[in-house]
């Protein structure tokens, strides 16, 4: 593979996969794989990378997202609302609520009218933890993105926003 000026380009790991598919099926357009594959690979690498600030605070990213949903909305949420806010399954949210309750970061309150319903709220310790971790986590994420200049970050953000908006409309409906 070469650039427009003839210099060799090694590419990312997906470039090798695409070259292999093109060798097997030279008549097939691998363009979609080059985009979706890179998005999936990037997401997998980001999920595998341990978020150092979260790890130091004893949190996983899904736990932090649940705490963050409670903090940013500023009010109690039901487990179903938390599942929608964090794009998680109900079972996963239930497990996280149990763990975070045991650690004193959230409280569970029953509904006076419907005993099957629960309302989850941050404790003061949970709020303090989110407020302490958020700046460090954003700094960590800023470092991850530092290989892209500000204009590149803005372009990537705009492209991803358009792509996500399209996917939510086509596949998942708009977020509530």
């Amino acid at each position: 593979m070469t650039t427009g000026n003839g210099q060799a380009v090694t590419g990312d790991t997906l470039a090798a996969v695409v070259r292999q598919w093109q060798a097997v099926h030279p008549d097939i357009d691998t363009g979609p794989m080059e985009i979706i594959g890179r998005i999936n690979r990037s997401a997998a690498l980001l999920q595998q990378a341990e978020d150092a600030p979260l790890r130091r605070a004893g949190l996983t990213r899904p736990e932090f997202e649940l705490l963050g949903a409670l903090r940013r909305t500023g009010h109690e949420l039901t487990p179903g609302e938390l599942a929608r806010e964090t794009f998680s399954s109900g079972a996963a949210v239930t497990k996280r609520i149990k763990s975070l309750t045991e650690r004193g970061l959230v409280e569970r309150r029953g509904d006076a009218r419907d005993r099957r319903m629960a309302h989850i709220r941050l404790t003061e310790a949970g709020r303090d933890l989110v407020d302490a971790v958020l700046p460090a986590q954003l700094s960590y994420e800023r470092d991850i993105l530092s290989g892209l200049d500000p204009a590149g970050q803005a372009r990537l953000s705009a492209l991803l926003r358009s792509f996500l908006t399209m996917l939510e409309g086509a596949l998942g409906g708009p977020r509530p």
Side-chain angles (χ1 to χ4, degrees):
M1 187 184 261
T2 59
T3 64
N5 62 10
Q7 294 178 332
V9 175
T10 56
D12 56 23
T13 55
L14 196 64
V17 171
V18 168
R19 281 193 302 275
Q20 291 166 342
W21 277 117
Q22 287 172 340
V24 173
H25 288 289
D27 54 323
I28 294 180
D29 175 17
T30 57
M33 180 187 301
E34 294 179 47
I35 296 169
I36 302 297
R38 284 189 173 98
I39 290 171
N40 286 337
R41 175 80 173 141
S42 295
L45 287 170
L46 287 170
Q47 287 175 351
Q48 286 176 7
E50 293 191 33
D51 296 316
L54 300 181
R55 187 177 64 249
R56 281 193 299 272
L59 294 171
T60 64
R61 180 170 282 277
E63 289 172 335
F64 182 70
E65 289 172 356
L66 189 144
L67 294 171
L70 289 166
R71 181 67 172 121
R72 73 175 187 271
T73 60
H75 56 81
E76 296 179 344
L77 295 171
T78 66
E81 290 167 334
L82 283 166
R84 283 188 297 279
E85 284 290 326
T86 61
F87 303 101
S88 302
S89 70
V93 166
T94 298
K95 182 178 176 183
R96 288 178 200 133
I97 290 169
K98 183 177 187 292
S99 172
L100 294 169
T101 300
E102 290 169 356
R103 291 158 50 197
L105 300 173
V106 299
E107 293 175 335
R108 182 182 187 101
R109 179 182 64 80
D111 189 291
R113 292 174 291 183
D114 183 351
R115 294 191 320 180
R116 296 170 299 171
M117 180 68 66
H119 299 274
I120 311 302
R121 68 176 165 233
L122 279 176
T123 63
E124 188 173 329
R127 185 176 47 256
D128 290 347
L129 182 61
V130 170
D131 289 349
V133 170
L134 181 61
Q137 183 62 25
L138 288 172
S139 177
Y140 175 80
E141 292 174 1
R142 197 171 292 109
D143 288 346
I144 289 173
L145 294 170
S146 67
L148 293 173
D149 64 21
Q153 290 181 33
R155 282 192 308 277
L156 180 58
S157 178
L159 285 170
L160 290 171
R161 181 183 314 111
S162 294
F163 185 62
L164 182 58
T165 300
M166 181 208 57
L167 283 178
E168 288 176 340
L171 303 176
R175 239 182 109 199

